[in-house]
């Protein structure tokens, strides 16, 4: 299965997918990595591995993902032969132009037990709410914010003395196992179709 990755930040989840491919536990190839943030480390990680990496031009909008940018992104992914799109810390809402190009073929990892704490800094939302556990979720992407059908989720305890940073780090450790595993499941399901 040919993967395309969209990310805005560090790209540790993309790295986890790459590591699983290298280890032979995930039968896939990353063909293209795109970011809306030209300075994102995810682009450096990709280039260091010889993976094609590029910037999505959002026309100067800070948070919006304009339709033209989504259509251009879909075209680049298709040109690269991408079959499954993995959002990995991508901070813009994906809408129809991209969703229609990849029906049920866009997935995301979110750092909470959805439907609780959608949106930004979910680990901070969990701390503020005082819950004893939170977690992470891999889900199909639909037009809502972190609302698509859940593929898999796993809980992570909130420990006394946790800060947003320590809690996020504990969640990420689980994410790095869960995301490659979920990508593998989606691939197997798609092969059955
Ligand atoms: C992860 O915690 C993911 O759940 C969230 O954004 C973060 C991205 O981290 N959507 P990274 O760029 O993969 O390191």
């Amino acid at each position: 299965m040919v993967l395309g990755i969209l990310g805005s930040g560090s790209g540790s989840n993309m790295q986890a997918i790459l590591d699983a491919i290298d280890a032979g536990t995930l039968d896939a190839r990353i063909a293209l990595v795109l970011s809306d943030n030209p300075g994102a480390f995810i682009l450096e990680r990709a280039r260091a591995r010889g993976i094609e990496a590029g910037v999505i031009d959002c026309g100067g909008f800070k948070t919006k993902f304009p339709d033209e940018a989504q259509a251009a992104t879909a075209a680049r992914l298709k040109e690269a032969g991408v079959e499954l799109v993995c959002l990995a810390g991508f901070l813009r809402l994906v809408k129809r132009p991209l969703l229609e190009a990849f029906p049920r073929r866009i997935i995301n990892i979110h750092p909470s037990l959805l439907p609780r704490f959608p949106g930004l800094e979910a680990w901070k939302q969990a701390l503020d709410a005082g819950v004893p556990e939170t977690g992470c979720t891999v889900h199909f992407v639909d037009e809502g914010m972190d609302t698509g059908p859940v593929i898999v989720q796993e809980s992570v305890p909130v420990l006394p003395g946790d800060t947003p940073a320590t809690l996020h780090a504990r969640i990420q450790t689980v994410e790095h196992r869960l995301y490659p595993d979920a990508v593998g499941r989606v691939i197997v399901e798609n092969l059955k179709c």
Side-chain angles (χ1 to χ4, degrees):
M1 179 78 65
V2 182
L3 308 179
I5 312 275
L6 305 188
S8 306
S10 145
S12 68
N13 279 288
M14 179 199 69
Q15 188 66 54
I17 291 170
L18 273 174
D19 291 347
I21 293 170
D22 288 349
T25 54
L26 179 61
D27 188 11
R29 172 173 77 84
I30 299 178
L32 179 63
V33 176
L34 295 175
S35 179
D36 57 325
N37 171 10
F41 189 51
I42 193 170
L43 293 174
E44 262 183 61
R45 288 189 201 255
R47 290 185 185 120
R49 288 289 301 253
I51 298 169
E52 187 186 344
V55 174
I56 300 168
D57 179 3
C58 288
F61 289 102
K62 271 203 153 171
T63 54
K64 195 176 152 190
F65 194 3
D67 279 1
E68 314 78 67
Q70 299 215 20
T73 300
R76 286 177 83 172
L77 290 164
K78 291 279 181 195
E79 262 169 46
V82 168
E83 298 165 290
L84 177 67
V85 181
C86 304
L87 308 187
F90 188 65
L91 296 180
R92 294 182 195 246
L93 263 190
V94 169
K95 295 277 183 194
R96 212 168 293 157
L98 246 177
L99 292 170
E100 278 177 357
F102 291 93
R104 224 176 150 82
R105 292 276 182 124
I106 306 182
I107 63 174
N108 180 43
I109 182 139
H110 182 78
S112 77
L113 292 175
L114 289 171
R116 290 214 78 180
F117 313 127
L120 292 177
E121 297 191 319
W123 56 89
K124 197 166 174 297
Q125 296 183 50
L127 266 187
D128 291 345
V131 293
E133 65 169 20
T134 181
C136 50
T137 303
V138 181
H139 63 97
F140 288 104
V141 173
D142 65 10
E143 287 218 53
M145 187 188 290
D146 305 319
T147 51
V150 170
I151 298 164
V152 64
Q153 49 189 184
E154 189 169 316
S155 62
V156 172
V158 180
L159 300 180
D162 256 339
T163 63
T166 58
L167 181 55
H168 189 207
R170 191 175 311 114
I171 294 170
Q172 283 221 300
T173 305
V174 177
E175 286 185 341
H176 297 159
R177 175 170 41 75
L178 202 68
Y179 207 10
D181 187 55
V183 172
R185 287 189 198 202
V186 172
I187 291 172
V188 168
E189 282 307 308
N190 272 289
L191 291 178
K192 282 190 206 155
C193 298

